[in-house]
Amino acid sequence: MTELKMIMEKFAASGWDLIAGPAQEWLDGKENTEALRLAIEQADKECGSCGCDLDPLYKRALELL
């Protein structure tokens, strides 16, 4: 499994609508990379330094996209 796919699975399972929906769509093959990128950037702004296990994944996902 690719690193990006593993990250998207974590985002999809997060329960946070901001990233869960776009991540699940990406996993389902409905790749709207720009919408996904925007959602991850917004999530990073809102939560990227809260200390949760998703914090480092936002930046890494953006690098991999």
Side-chain angles (χ1 to χ4, degrees):
M1 188 177 328
T2 69
E3 181 181 4
L4 185 57
K5 185 176 180 192
M6 289 188 307
I7 293 171
M8 291 305 136
E9 287 178 346
K10 286 186 180 199
F11 288 168
S14 71
W16 188 16
D17 291 340
L18 177 62
I19 58 171
Q24 187 61 55
E25 287 180 6
W26 186 90
L27 289 167
D28 292 342
K30 301 172 189 167
E31 294 185 39
N32 184 343
T33 305
E34 186 57 26
L36 179 60
R37 180 182 304 279
L38 290 172
I40 295 170
E41 287 174 351
Q42 185 63 36
D44 188 37
K45 286 179 189 173
E46 291 183 23
C47 180
S49 60
C50 74
C52 75
D53 62 339
L54 297 179
D55 288 352
L57 299 181
Y58 303 131
K59 289 171 183 54
R60 183 63 181 148
L62 291 170
E63 289 174 6
L64 295 171
L65 283 173

